Each structure stands twice: as C-alpha cells, then as structure tokens.
Amino acid sequence: MSRTTHDAIREALRGVPGGAAGTRIEVTIDPNVKRAPFGVVTDRGLPAGLPPHTPNQPQYDARSTEFSDDEIIVTRLPPGEEDANSTMCMVSGRLARKVVKATSGHAPVPQPIPATFCIREAPGKGLGMFATRDILAGELIVAERPLLVTPAGIPARRTLPEHLTQAQVSQVLLADAEREYEVLLEKTAPALRDAFMALVDSHRFDGSGPISGRIRTNGFGADDMTDPEKPGYAMGANAYSLVCDNLSRMNHNCAPNAPRYFHVSTFSMQVRAIRAIKNGEEITTAYCETLVPFVARKAELARYDVKCTCSLCINPSQSDPLLAYCKKVRDRTPRASGNCDRGWYTDFSVPESTAVKSLLADLAAIVKVGQEFESSYVFTLFQLMKTYAARGDVTNARAYAKQYAVWHLAVHGKEVDDKQVESAFGMVAVAEVVLRMKGKMKGKMAGGKANAAK
Ligand SMILES: [Zn+2]
C-alpha cells in the first residue's frame, strides 16, 4: 500500500465511526480530524468495480492464549455466561484479557430496587427514560450489559486503488465495516439482536449501513473500555463503541442529570443520578461537549438528529456566558488530584471570607447551568472541604466531603467508605489541630495584651 493511500485510509478511519473515551461516540476534539459523513451524501456505497469485502472473523474464547494483545478479535464477553447474558465484542486481545480477569468473580449486574425508570414517549423526542420514583444523588438508575461492542475505528481490511478520493475511501470503510458488523450480529443472541435493531438509526443517508448507522447513533464510549493510545492516530482511535438497550433511550440534555460509566467487574454500563431526580422527571445524559456555546452544541447534535430544547438552549444569550464562566473554572482545574495539595486555599493568609466566597460562587455557577458532572464541580467541592478544614470548620468540611464522595459514586461508580467521609478524608484531624492552634494563639494574644496594659 502506498503511503498516500495508507494516509487517506488512516485519515478517514479517524472518523469512522469515531469516538472519544468517555463521550458519546463520534465526538472528537481534534479539529483536524476528518469525520465520517453524516446527513445526505449523494455518492454512497462502493465505487464502481470494487468488490464487496468478505469478512474473516474467527471467534475466540477470550480465556485462550491464541491471540496477541494488539490483535482485534471477535469474542463473547464475559466468557462462561449464557449467550443472552453476554456480549459479542470486537476488541483487542489486551482488552479481552482485562475483561476476563476483572469478571472472574462472576459478579451479577446490579439492579436498583425498587426500579427507578420507565421508557415512554418523550414529547418531540421519540422515546425517553423517565424516573418512576424520587432518586437520590449518587443512586444507581440503570445497569446493563452492552448489546454490542465494536472498535470506534475499524482497521482497513484491504488495499484500495490509488485513484479513490477521500470521500470514496470513507464510503468503502463504512461499507466494509457493515460487512464485519453483520457477521458479529449474526452471532449475537436473538433477543439482543432484536433489541439492537429496534434502536433508532439517524445515519440513513450518509453511506452507513443499518448496523453501523445504529452503532453511530447509539454507541457510547467508556474510559474503562479503551486501549493504550496509538501513536499517529487521533484521540478516540483507541476507543470502543458500546451500544446498550435502555441506556440508548436516554435523551440528550446540555444540563444532564445522569452521567454514565462502565463497570468492568460486572461488565455493565451504568448510570447514576448526579443530583436528586424527582418522580416523573426525564433522565438525561450528554451526547456532546457541554461547556461550549449554543451554536457549537447545535452543530454537534445535528449528527444525532437532535434539536435540543433544554433550558440552556432556549436562552443562549443568558446561558452562553454562564457556560463560559464554568469553562474557565474547569480550565484551572488540575488534571491530577495530587495537585490539590498545593492550592492557595491552604494558604492561611487568605481570609476565610475571600477563599470560601469565590469557591461558593464557582459552585453556584456550575449548579445553575446543571454541569455538576464536570470535574470542575468535584474539584470545587474538594477545595471547599480543605478550605473549611484548614480553618477549623469541621461541620462544613464533613458536609463537602459527603458531596465529594457522592460525586465519585455518580460519575465513576466508586464507593467511598463512610469512615473516610466521617473524617472528611483526614481533614477533620487537620481542623482539630487548627482549632487547638487558634486557641493557643488567642491565649497568647490575650496574654500579650494583658502584659502591654501593665
Ligand atoms: Zn441543550
């Protein structure tokens, strides 16, 4: 294969059917990335004379040692479960082994009791997910095994003629991917296959087949279902697309109340409430980056046939500045939590009113536009916990520690034990030391004054 063709394929691959970890599939951040087509594409299908692709997919037992880490294999995960309770996956050998190891305890997929939601007509949006009872922040709403797992970018399976345009290459890749998916879906348990085909396809006119169209419409990326980044490939080329049943019915909202994450040890996609949800309220998630202006979100959402009418989208002149403010808060959020220890909020010379006031203002802004799932929110909670602790305010330190723990549960599914919250992650001890120091200093100051008066 010549370098030009190879580059063209690689370029096209970056967007077929692309996706970044932790976001709705297809949302790529790099502006240079060429995307797979959407909307109405006139020259669809294979260029004249090009024969259809014939997939060759030996199926492996993921527990075997017959494949290498970097090989993309077809396998059923988790292994050893009934067909209807497991997922046909096209994943790297490395990821398959990771799942086999993590699921060896055969932990069942957790189910909230009593049930939390129903799927019903959402006015103007087709179907949607609605709360059937009040749900607390951090509570599990739904957990389910994916119906299908496929790479966010399918590797090219054949050498292509030199004369093809980039648009044609992209059409060939879509057509070839569809053949691969057909074989994968044939091996899927009938009930799961029916559930998959009952999902919405918003890519009917761009060259996507009925399977890849549904994957592109309904697939989610997940941080815990990725490979190491591939040098030379765009962000998301190491990601996978996970299509679920009920979860795929969740509609988009720019101020979502339910983020999602993948729980590897139960091999399930899960959704929890990021804030309290009232009985009857719609349960929503974000399909796109939310801390961007209305016009950018509108363009992104057009790829899913979504015209968002959320509280932010109906009033962009008011919401855009607030979102821009939240983005600023996020941009100064350290990436590693280890940096949390070196902030100005532990600087005792900063007056309490200044430190707390600005943090509370950040928190209020984030809540006002419903961006609690953002990392800037949890970082602000953490800063508040430490600021109060450093000033000897045990009650407030504990209150923010509790919210901090709930956030981690809702966004990552990570349980924080009560003891840690009770001690505000060790901050209560700090607060008590500060209180003692303050007492001593007051005593000294009082003594000094008494001496001076003499
Ligand atoms: Zn919106």
Side-chain angles (χ1 to χ4, degrees):
M1 190 189 298
S2 82
R3 189 175 153 69
T4 331
T5 313
H6 186 85
D7 285 353
I9 290 172
R10 176 180 286 186
E11 196 66 23
L13 257 179
R14 287 172 172 173
V16 180
T23 56
R24 188 85 178 181
I25 284 302
E26 275 197 295
V27 180
T28 35
I29 316 297
D30 184 346
N32 299 316
V33 172
K34 296 261 188 313
R35 293 170 157 190
F38 77 103
V40 179
V41 173
T42 42
D43 293 326
R44 300 203 299 270
L46 294 176
L50 206 66
H53 164 62
T54 314
N56 174 26
Q57 291 179 2
Q59 187 181 323
Y60 292 97
D61 182 327
R63 293 165 293 195
S64 80
T65 52
E66 291 163 45
F67 46 82
S68 71
D69 270 3
D70 288 313
E71 193 180 345
I72 294 287
I73 62 160
V74 166
T75 188
R76 194 180 288 284
L77 293 173
E81 297 241 17
E82 282 176 23
D83 288 4
N85 196 30
S86 54
T87 308
M88 281 313 297
C89 299
M90 190 185 271
V91 293
S92 70
R94 182 187 297 103
L95 190 59
R97 288 194 179 98
K98 174 183 157 178
V99 172
V100 170
K101 199 174 164 198
T103 56
S104 60
H106 300 284
V109 176
Q111 294 306 329
I113 299 170
T116 53
F117 72 91
C118 68
I119 303 293
R120 65 171 162 86
E121 200 70 25
K125 300 191 263 191
L127 295 175
M129 183 184 280
F130 291 85
T132 48
R133 63 171 167 90
D134 290 350
I135 303 168
L136 297 172
E139 236 190 297
L140 183 69
I141 298 172
V142 52
E144 60 185 18
R145 294 248 154 99
L147 299 170
L148 204 63
V149 175
T150 52
I154 285 246
R157 303 271 173 168
R158 56 170 151 180
T159 308
L160 293 174
E162 295 282 328
H163 66 270
L164 296 188
T165 63
Q166 192 142 306
Q168 284 175 316
V169 170
S170 148
Q171 287 296 311
V172 174
L173 288 168
L174 277 175
D176 289 2
E178 185 71 12
R179 298 286 87 74
E180 298 277 345
Y181 298 151
E182 278 169 5
V183 178
L184 202 62
L185 207 60
E186 268 167 29
K187 296 173 180 169
T188 298
L192 305 187
R193 191 163 59 217
D194 292 349
F196 177 89
M197 291 310 289
L199 296 173
V200 173
D201 174 7
S202 63
H203 288 271
R204 282 164 298 157
F205 309 106
D206 59 17
S208 300
I211 307 174
S212 54
R214 282 174 172 83
I215 294 173
R216 294 179 69 192
T217 309
N218 301 285
F220 289 113
D223 287 345
D224 282 326
M225 288 289 281
T226 55
D227 285 323
E229 282 187 22
K230 298 172 191 168
Y233 279 73
M235 185 193 279
N238 58 335
Y240 291 88
S241 173
L242 290 80
V243 178
C244 298
D245 187 4
N246 287 310
L247 261 152
S248 294
R249 311 291 185 183
M250 283 176 84
N251 286 313
H252 164 85
N253 194 303
C254 303
N257 54 18
R260 52 186 192 273
Y261 57 89
F262 195 75
H263 195 249
V264 188
S265 58
T266 55
F267 200 67
S268 62
M269 197 74 163
Q270 302 189 356
V271 162
R272 287 177 186 265
I274 190 68
R275 54 179 179 262
I277 299 174
K278 287 249 168 284
N279 187 2
E281 202 179 319
E282 184 168 6
I283 298 163
T284 57
T285 197
Y287 293 2
C288 68
E289 160 80 90
T290 53
L291 294 187
V292 292
F294 168 67
V295 280
R297 300 197 306 276
K298 191 178 163 188
E300 200 62 64
L301 292 169
R303 302 172 72 81
Y304 306 103
D305 255 353
V306 170
K307 286 187 187 75
C308 188
T309 54
C310 77
S311 58
L312 304 180
C313 287
I314 54 169
N315 200 347
S317 61
Q318 208 173 61
S319 61
D320 277 1
L322 284 166
L323 289 172
Y325 178 94
C326 292
K327 188 172 181 297
K328 270 190 197 159
V329 177
R330 187 183 67 182
D331 289 348
R332 61 170 190 261
T333 301
R335 278 174 182 264
S337 58
N339 292 348
C340 290
D341 289 331
R342 293 189 289 275
W344 53 265
Y345 46 88
T346 51
D347 180 354
F348 285 65
S349 66
V350 178
E352 179 177 331
S353 55
T354 315
V356 173
K357 213 169 142 186
S358 77
L359 290 172
L360 288 175
D362 290 351
L363 205 66
I366 296 168
V367 170
K368 192 167 181 183
V369 283
Q371 303 297 303
E372 295 95 334
F373 69 101
E374 281 282 350
S375 56
S376 48
Y377 182 72
V378 76
F379 186 65
T380 310
L381 293 175
F382 188 81
Q383 284 177 305
L384 277 162
M385 173 178 82
K386 290 198 80 168
T387 308
Y388 279 120
R391 283 153 180 81
D393 187 338
V394 171
T395 311
N396 269 314
R398 281 206 179 111
Y400 285 101
K402 172 87 184 146
Q403 287 190 54
Y404 177 85
V406 167
W407 188 94
H408 277 279
L409 183 60
V411 173
H412 299 302
K414 286 188 180 126
E415 304 265 1
V416 175
D417 72 60
D418 289 347
K419 266 189 198 157
Q420 280 183 298
V421 175
E422 182 50 33
S423 75
F425 299 89
M427 287 294 108
V428 167
V430 173
E432 280 159 0
V433 170
V434 171
L435 273 181
R436 274 203 300 277
M437 276 167 60
K438 274 185 176 173
K440 275 185 191 165
M441 278 165 73
K442 267 186 192 162
K444 268 190 187 169
M445 278 168 74
K449 270 181 194 165
N451 287 336
K454 266 181 193 170

